[in-house]
Amino acid sequence: MNQLFQLQPIAFAISLCTLAQFSYAEHEHDVYQLPVIVVTAQQNTTANGLIVTADPKQPIQPVPASDGAAYLKSIMGFNSIQSGGTNGEVSFRGMFGSRIKILTDGTENLGACPSRMDAPTSYISPESFDEIQVIKGIQTVAYANTASAATVIFSRKAPQFDEQPYQGQASVVMGSYGRLDHTIDTAIGHQQVYARLNATRSESDSYQDGNGDTVPSSWQKWSSDIALGWTPNGDTQLELHAGRSDGEALYAGRSMDGAKFARESVGLKYHQADISEHIRQLEAQIDYNFNDHVMDNFSLRPFSPTGGMSMPMASNVSRKTLNARLATTLAFADMQLKTGIDQQYNQHAQRGGMSNSYVNKPRIKDMEFQSYGVFAELTTPLSVGHTLVTGLRADEVNVKDLRAASKTAGYQLELNKTLPSGFIRLDSENSQGDIKHYIGVGYVERMPDYWELFSPAHGNMGSSNTFNGVNPEKTTQLDLGVQYQHGAFNLSTSAYVGQIQDYILMRYHHHAMAGMSHGISAGASNVDAVIAGAETGLSYQFNEQITADANLAYAWGKNTTDDITLPQIAPLEGRFNLRYVQDNYSLGAYLRTVAKQNRIAHHQGNIVGYDITPSKGFATLALNGTYRFNQAADISLGIDNVLNKTYAEHLNKAGSSGFGYASEQQFNNIGRNYWARMSIKF
């Protein structure tokens, strides 16, 4: 166990001393409060089950997340394609990429890697945010370039100062295989001005699977964000914010590793409430993000001439993104109208070469993306207990191919599209308020993103190149759900069925330039598809101490053009949790069961991964406990994969041959894993 649980003694001692100090300081003013509870599966909490909210400052199991995708996996319906120990590619209901909109504080920060090694969630440190909100399906049009699967919002709230001019929270996570995280979120100020600092650091060595075999998966990453705010009254907020982050990650499932994940961001936002009787809210925001990402095959691993690379190579890609937004909320009698305009500009560039020779080369721009959008969302009551919510949006999108090779070949270098989206939904609840339900229909046309226009080797048959060979996706989806609560029993179910015209599918096979994915690379094509599925959660509180809950998620998809299954869809998954809460401590047992997945489309998928083989089912058991010393300090302990099972997730990538993996052999997940998280509020 000493080898598994590699604690950092200095950090551990400091944390214990700090906990003791807070325990002594609070002794004279003890106030009863329930202990922290380790989160194992997020429950639907608002809007009849349509919207899920989560508190990322709560400890979660498995071991507290190192990136946004790892945290989202605690919410039913989410999975991810894993390449190693961190920075997975998030999936929701079998959908990937720009079908899921990821927003941080209202802005979009896009990655740069052509194979999405640096997905947007890889730049997110979850615990530095105050709230995560997931809007399922096409049930909002309030953000640029509407998502077809879900909209995920990581947000921070303006600090509130009451009795003291400072506040904050700090935590330390220690665990097996050298896992060590530090997080601090602190603010100083008063009712009219504030300064807030978020800083995180996370690292881990490579883990071992249930067989005791080492899986290359180490990482180091850090982030820092600062905000300066002016709040002259309770209705006005003006905030300037800026941030930086960087990191590196070793990947069992890739031929190259992430040697650099640098982010720089700066933004300004303004919020004004209760301007007049009819103008309830005005918000304006502008943000700039720059991502600088390096991939190489030599700095984090011993160089091996595999994957089509006979020499040490590095690729440096970057993305500049500028987002701007102006929105207002109007009220007329019982109706509320939110309307606004937004704009997004992003530019992609790249350079590369042998070893680190790229640093002396200029960045070569290969794409420019520009969109302008206008939207309106109306909420109006129809009768007692029934509310109609509807929205319309139009985006004008321009994408330019700046590659010299495309110009030389005489290809069309510019795409212009006007893309509509909209939804209509009925929200209802009975007179007692214990049954809430919704039903809504949404439609969106999605512009192919950078990874679909530039990364594949070709587009649809007969097209000149990928840029001119992929059509926008058109998704029509029905969403419905019900939430029932009566006494100690709670049930929440959300379901969907959708039809996708021109679904953008990646087919992996040999090309003239085969790439680095086991000799095959992606070609893009449009197909028609249907999708369906559901997420269900129920809980029952047996008494004041014991609560049990269960959650199920299932996604299904079919490529109707070829009459085969839609690829890269996670299998049926169930999560079962038993919790005991007593005074200032809690204990929990968490069982995760995953069915086998036989529905695959061999060598088809997305730009990150593809179906390899049917997967086996598995089950893992985890245990956790928390103890609250007082209102300010607590400690959580956990053991993941208690039985040390050897298993691989269905969506895991195949291991790199450079690490000795056989062709198309998936790498395994982590074996038994011990962790501890200590948190202090002040």
Side-chain angles (χ1 to χ4, degrees):
M1 179 172 174
N2 289 334
Q3 292 179 345
L4 285 174
F5 198 33
Q6 302 175 34
L7 299 181
Q8 301 284 338
I10 296 178
F12 184 66
I14 292 173
S15 300
L16 286 181
C17 291
T18 309
L19 288 172
Q21 178 183 3
F22 272 83
S23 178
Y24 175 79
E26 294 269 340
H27 180 70
E28 296 181 357
H29 306 282
D30 285 339
V31 176
Y32 177 77
Q33 187 173 350
L34 288 177
V36 171
I37 294 175
V38 176
V39 175
T40 53
Q42 300 287 348
Q43 296 292 317
N44 296 323
T45 55
T46 59
N48 316 330
L50 174 67
I51 300 175
V52 179
T53 59
D55 179 3
K57 296 189 182 301
Q58 285 277 94
I60 67 170
Q61 193 167 39
V63 60
S66 64
D67 66 278
Y71 191 95
L72 289 173
K73 283 186 67 177
S74 70
I75 300 176
M76 292 305 295
F78 281 94
N79 293 92
S80 71
I81 302 178
Q82 294 295 321
S83 301
T86 191
N87 299 343
E89 171 68 37
V90 71
S91 159
F92 183 66
R93 294 173 167 177
M95 299 291 106
F96 295 81
S98 58
R99 301 180 184 102
I100 307 170
K101 182 165 291 295
I102 306 292
L103 299 171
T104 53
D105 282 328
T107 188
E108 195 166 18
N109 181 26
L110 300 169
C113 173
S115 59
R116 289 181 69 94
M117 182 186 290
D118 67 329
T121 49
S122 65
Y123 294 98
I124 295 174
S125 299
E127 198 172 334
S128 67
F129 292 87
D130 298 320
E131 184 181 76
I132 302 173
Q133 186 181 77
V134 178
I135 306 172
K136 300 179 181 182
I138 311 166
Q139 293 300 310
T140 182
V141 291
Y143 303 100
N145 307 304
T146 301
S148 57
T151 300
V152 182
I153 305 168
F154 291 78
S155 59
R156 299 185 179 99
K157 300 176 182 178
Q160 302 294 321
F161 300 95
D162 297 322
E163 299 179 357
Q164 58 188 25
Y166 64 89
Q167 61 183 250
Q169 178 172 335
S171 68
V172 177
V173 173
M174 294 165 285
S176 303
Y177 313 110
R179 178 68 184 270
L180 179 62
D181 293 4
H182 299 92
T183 301
I184 186 167
D185 180 0
T186 183
I188 59 173
H190 52 74
Q191 292 183 346
Q192 293 188 341
V193 66
Y194 65 86
R196 181 175 182 179
L197 172 68
N198 286 277
T200 70
R201 187 180 186 278
S202 177
E203 65 178 339
S204 177
D205 299 331
S206 294
Y207 65 77
Q208 293 180 355
D209 64 15
N211 292 326
D213 297 325
T214 298
V215 177
S217 53
S218 61
W219 77 80
Q220 291 183 359
K221 56 174 62 179
W222 63 268
S223 70
S224 61
D225 292 270
I226 189 170
L228 303 175
W230 179 53
T231 53
N233 54 62
D235 297 328
T236 305
Q237 179 193 14
L238 179 65
E239 181 183 276
L240 174 66
H241 47 267
R244 296 187 66 189
S245 64
D246 202 353
E248 61 183 34
L250 179 67
Y251 292 121
R254 292 182 183 268
S255 299
M256 303 180 84
D257 303 309
K260 184 178 183 180
F261 292 84
R263 166 189 64 94
E264 296 180 356
S265 60
V266 63
L268 182 68
K269 66 179 179 181
Y270 171 77
H271 179 271
Q272 179 71 51
D274 295 330
I275 298 173
S276 68
E277 178 184 357
H278 298 298
I279 305 176
R280 295 292 177 83
Q281 185 171 280
L282 177 67
E283 51 186 300
Q285 185 168 352
I286 184 169
D287 291 271
Y288 170 80
N289 293 286
F290 177 67
N291 298 106
D292 188 6
H293 174 52
V294 175
M295 303 159 280
D296 69 36
N297 61 354
F298 60 87
S299 65
L300 301 182
R301 68 175 74 188
F303 170 71
S304 175
T306 58
M309 294 178 292
S310 59
M311 301 292 290
M313 301 293 292
S315 177
N316 180 206
V317 289
S318 65
R319 179 84 72 119
K320 297 178 180 178
T321 308
L322 179 67
N323 293 275
R325 170 184 173 86
L326 176 66
T328 184
T329 302
L330 308 175
F332 302 96
D334 294 329
M335 293 189 301
Q336 179 175 289
L337 176 66
K338 184 172 185 176
T339 184
I341 56 174
D342 48 44
Q343 175 268 347
Q344 183 182 108
Y345 171 82
N346 70 79
Q347 177 193 102
H348 190 276
Q350 58 182 324
R351 57 185 179 178
M354 292 178 53
S355 298
N356 290 320
S357 62
Y358 71 89
V359 298
N360 298 316
K361 298 179 180 180
R363 298 182 190 273
I364 306 300
K365 294 187 292 184
D366 58 3
M367 185 212 69
E368 284 186 350
F369 178 102
Q370 178 79 61
S371 71
Y372 297 93
V374 57
F375 70 90
E377 289 190 353
L378 177 68
T379 302
T380 181
L382 297 180
S383 61
V384 176
H386 300 278
T387 302
L388 180 70
V389 186
T390 185
L392 291 173
R393 179 182 182 91
D395 286 292
E396 188 71 27
V397 180
N398 171 268
V399 187
K400 295 179 180 178
D401 182 353
L402 305 180
R403 295 171 295 187
S406 298
K407 185 176 182 180
T408 301
Y411 296 148
Q412 179 179 327
L413 303 177
E414 192 168 349
L415 301 176
N416 291 283
K417 301 289 183 180
T418 300
L419 304 176
S421 56
F423 72 94
I424 183 169
R425 184 177 76 247
L426 179 65
D427 295 338
S428 305
E429 64 177 283
N430 65 352
S431 58
Q432 290 79 28
D434 56 0
I435 300 178
K436 301 178 181 180
H437 48 91
Y438 70 91
I439 182 169
V441 177
Y443 174 82
V444 62
E445 296 186 10
R446 184 182 68 87
M447 187 70 182
D449 56 34
Y450 172 82
W451 301 274
E452 294 161 330
L453 291 175
F454 288 80
S455 296
H458 60 76
N460 286 312
M461 185 178 297
S463 58
S464 58
N465 65 347
T466 314
F467 183 79
N468 293 286
V470 183
N471 302 322
E473 279 185 359
K474 307 168 187 68
T475 302
T476 304
Q477 183 166 306
L478 171 70
D479 280 276
L480 65 160
V482 60
Q483 192 167 20
Y484 172 71
Q485 184 171 5
H486 181 74
F489 179 77
N490 187 295
L491 169 69
S492 178
T493 298
S494 57
Y496 65 96
V497 59
Q499 182 180 41
I500 308 176
Q501 293 178 285
D502 288 325
Y503 177 89
I504 301 174
L505 177 70
M506 301 297 166
R507 307 175 193 266
Y508 283 78
H509 49 269
H510 290 277
H511 295 102
M513 302 276 298
M516 297 173 290
S517 183
H518 302 283
I520 59 177
S521 54
S525 62
N526 290 108
V527 299
D528 292 339
V530 292
I531 56 175
E535 302 88 39
T536 297
L538 60 88
S539 66
Y540 186 79
Q541 186 168 350
F542 294 93
N543 52 44
E544 292 184 358
Q545 289 78 37
I546 300 176
T547 302
D549 58 67
N551 294 268
L552 290 172
Y554 178 72
W556 175 90
K558 183 177 182 180
N559 171 353
T560 56
T561 298
D562 301 320
D563 195 26
I564 60 175
T565 187
L566 210 59
Q568 289 287 275
I569 294 181
L572 172 68
E573 179 176 332
R575 304 178 188 182
F576 309 91
N577 187 45
L578 183 65
R579 182 181 297 121
Y580 178 83
V581 178
Q582 179 68 49
D583 296 331
N584 58 345
Y585 70 90
S586 69
L587 301 172
Y590 168 48
L591 177 66
R592 177 174 178 245
T593 60
V594 178
K596 61 183 179 181
Q597 179 60 287
N598 291 323
R599 291 178 52 82
I600 69 165
H602 190 247
H603 281 182
Q604 295 186 17
N606 49 68
I607 203 60
V608 183
Y610 52 84
D611 283 357
I612 300 173
T613 183
S615 60
K616 299 178 181 178
F618 62 87
T620 61
L621 174 67
L623 303 175
N624 63 73
T626 65
Y627 181 80
R628 182 184 294 275
F629 295 89
N630 49 60
Q631 285 183 281
D634 59 74
I635 183 170
S636 300
L637 304 173
I639 308 175
D640 301 336
N641 195 359
V642 173
L643 302 179
N644 202 30
K645 292 280 189 175
T646 302
Y647 70 98
E649 301 276 1
H650 177 70
L651 298 181
N652 279 5
K653 289 174 68 68
S656 168
S657 59
F659 291 119
Y661 288 94
S663 177
E664 300 197 342
Q665 175 190 355
Q666 290 179 298
F667 66 88
N668 290 326
N669 285 67
I670 193 169
R672 186 182 296 116
N673 181 31
Y674 302 88
W675 58 268
R677 177 186 183 271
M678 288 162 281
S679 177
I680 302 164
K681 295 180 180 179
F682 51 90

